[in-house]
Amino acid sequence: MHCLRPAVLSATAETFVAAFPGDVLYAVKCNPDPAVLRALHDGGVRHFDCASLNEVRLVRDMFPDAAIHFMHPVKARGAIREAWERHGVRTFVLDSAAELAKIRAEVAATGVPGRLGLVVRLAMPKGDARLDLSGKFGAPAEQAVALLQDARPDAAMLGVSFHVGSQCMDPLAWRIALDLTGGVIRAAGVKIDVVDVGGGFPVAYPDQEPPPLGAFLAEIEAGFDRLGVQGARLWAEPGRALVAGGASVVMQVQARRDDALYVNDGVYGSLSDAGALGFRYPVRLIRPGQDATGALVPFRFYGPTCDSADVMHGPFLLPADIAEGDWIEIGQLGAYGACLRTAFNGFDRARIVEVVDRPMLETPGYDTRSVSIAA
Ligand SMILES: *Cc1c(COP(=O)(O)O)cnc(C)c1O
């Protein structure tokens, strides 16, 4: 059972939107649940970073006036056409000459006029974000220079973007990325309208306490100032940071063998990142009508499927007397949780309920104190 916290989602969005000195694009892939999108919109998010036609359609159906940006560097031709023609999408990201040609051709083929926005995504050096994204997308500096020069005459809006990697704990990653961006902009010698610092803003997990949001924003503002791009706008594409605290999952213990708990959610469900990536989440025992007893001791989880890869080593700290039939609530699962569920082995049913309590862990810099607390 997924427990959504709409008030937490709205308060978190409000904090980020108020603190960030530019436009905040929510990265929809992180959690596309309509109730989540609604709560973020209530918190002031008006821009959406979509990577597929289905995400574009979903956001457009819900928010006729929202700005949708198509931020996947490799898009299907039909997706570009439909996004431009039917959903008013005007910004497209690219990291190759082939994609630039594709966007030009498909937009022209619609015959629908509009102000084309083109954003060139830069390759990043391998950093130490929890999820390294440096290998798959992004143009190396020299190629990015050529792409900016090539794109400028077509673009009513020209931008540069990067992604430092997800759950990036080090504010310096943005300094390095922005300095690299500055080199590319100077070498290209063209006017830049948007600098998009991507996502990757971290949240708290039991073994990870990130610096406060302000430390990241200070690096971004200082790095942006050093670019000297007069009149340019800043964009960010946070995913995890806006939604992680806004949902938890309740699962049941179906067997206990020593320090292993056999539970009914796992890496093919909403706990994908607890598998190979080894994410630790905040956990608590729920035993209706009874207080949990005993010291907290470390457990690992086995998921419900028959695959031996369906294991989560944690460790997850729970009361020593936990037993079959007990329930466990897992927090910080609003990000990359429900959206990664599969139907593998028949374990695909999950209810979504809305709750009014606070996140199970607070991330420094996000003010959710105003959120009402459940009785
Ligand atoms: C996934 C993704 C994001 C969001 O990343 P988080 O680490 O969740 O903030 C932003 N931009 C792009 C292009 C992405 O692929």
Side-chain angles (χ1 to χ4, degrees):
M1 183 172 74
H2 296 269
C3 303
L4 277 189
R5 293 157 164 78
V8 170
L9 292 163
S10 296
T12 307
E14 220 169 280
T15 303
F16 200 103
V17 167
F20 187 76
D23 297 325
V24 176
L25 288 58
Y26 170 58
V28 173
K29 75 167 185 291
C30 192
N31 191 331
D33 190 289
V36 170
L37 299 179
R38 171 68 55 199
L40 295 177
H41 191 268
D42 288 347
V45 172
R46 294 293 179 272
H47 295 255
F48 294 85
D49 160 0
C50 293
S52 67
L53 198 48
N54 280 335
E55 289 181 355
V56 170
R57 290 171 178 156
L58 170 68
V59 173
R60 183 52 79 220
D61 280 353
M62 288 186 67
F63 310 116
D65 299 329
I68 301 178
H69 311 279
F70 210 145
M71 301 307 274
H72 193 305
V74 181
K75 295 165 285 298
R77 287 181 177 274
I80 297 169
R81 276 202 307 275
E82 184 180 322
W84 178 273
E85 193 167 19
R86 303 241 294 267
H87 307 297
V89 176
R90 291 294 175 264
T91 315
F92 299 85
V93 79
L94 61 110
D95 65 0
S96 70
E99 189 72 9
L100 177 56
K102 192 199 282 178
I103 295 166
R104 270 189 188 127
E106 296 307 322
V107 166
T110 66
V112 176
R115 290 172 51 82
L116 178 61
L118 293 171
V119 176
V120 173
R121 176 150 164 194
L122 299 183
M124 284 290 109
K126 193 170 163 15
D128 52 10
R130 193 72 181 269
L131 277 95
D132 176 39
L133 298 175
S134 64
K136 188 166 176 179
F137 296 123
E142 219 171 283
Q143 198 188 329
V145 168
L147 286 171
L148 286 171
Q149 292 168 338
D150 195 3
R152 183 67 270 187
D154 284 301
M157 183 283 281
L158 182 65
V160 189
S161 76
F162 54 79
H163 196 304
V164 297
S166 201
Q167 184 66 11
C168 179
M169 297 286 283
D170 188 358
L172 282 179
W174 276 268
R175 182 190 299 187
I176 294 165
L178 281 163
D179 287 348
L180 203 147
T181 303
V184 168
I185 292 175
R186 280 188 297 278
V190 296
K191 181 170 169 286
I192 295 296
D193 307 302
V194 162
V195 175
D196 176 354
V197 299
F201 301 92
V203 300
Y205 293 101
D207 56 342
Q208 297 205 309
E209 163 98 353
L213 175 62
F216 295 88
L217 300 183
E219 281 299 343
I220 288 168
E221 285 184 72
F224 182 64
D225 285 346
R226 278 196 305 281
L227 297 181
V229 281
Q230 265 83 34
R233 262 192 99 65
L234 261 178
W235 288 4
E237 308 168 354
R240 182 188 307 275
L242 296 192
V243 297
S248 58
V249 169
V250 175
M251 61 182 190
Q252 192 176 36
V253 179
Q254 304 193 311
R256 174 175 177 177
R257 294 182 195 164
D258 300 324
D259 64 350
L261 300 176
Y262 289 71
V263 292
N264 62 352
D265 199 2
V267 304
Y268 294 98
S270 48
L271 291 168
S272 175
D273 287 349
L277 291 173
F279 269 73
R280 290 178 60 188
Y281 294 94
V283 291
R284 71 183 179 103
L285 176 72
I286 300 176
R287 190 181 283 160
Q290 223 186 310
D291 285 337
T293 55
L296 298 181
V297 298
F299 288 93
R300 68 180 186 281
F301 297 150
Y302 284 115
T305 72
C306 302
D307 186 344
S308 53
D310 195 358
V311 58
M312 296 140 277
H313 288 283
F316 303 98
L317 298 179
L318 287 157
D321 70 344
I322 194 166
E324 191 252 317
D326 281 334
W327 301 86
I328 299 170
E329 183 175 18
I330 309 188
Q332 299 297 69
L333 266 175
Y336 306 111
C339 58
L340 294 176
R341 296 189 72 88
T342 74
F344 180 45
N345 234 172
F347 297 102
D348 62 338
R349 304 255 164 80
R351 285 175 58 202
I352 298 184
V353 299
E354 293 192 359
V355 299
V356 295
D357 48 356
R358 299 262 289 270
M360 286 174 63
L361 262 188
E362 299 278 354
T363 295
Y366 295 85
D367 191 0
T368 58
R369 276 169 302 185
S370 58
V371 175
S372 60
I373 300 172

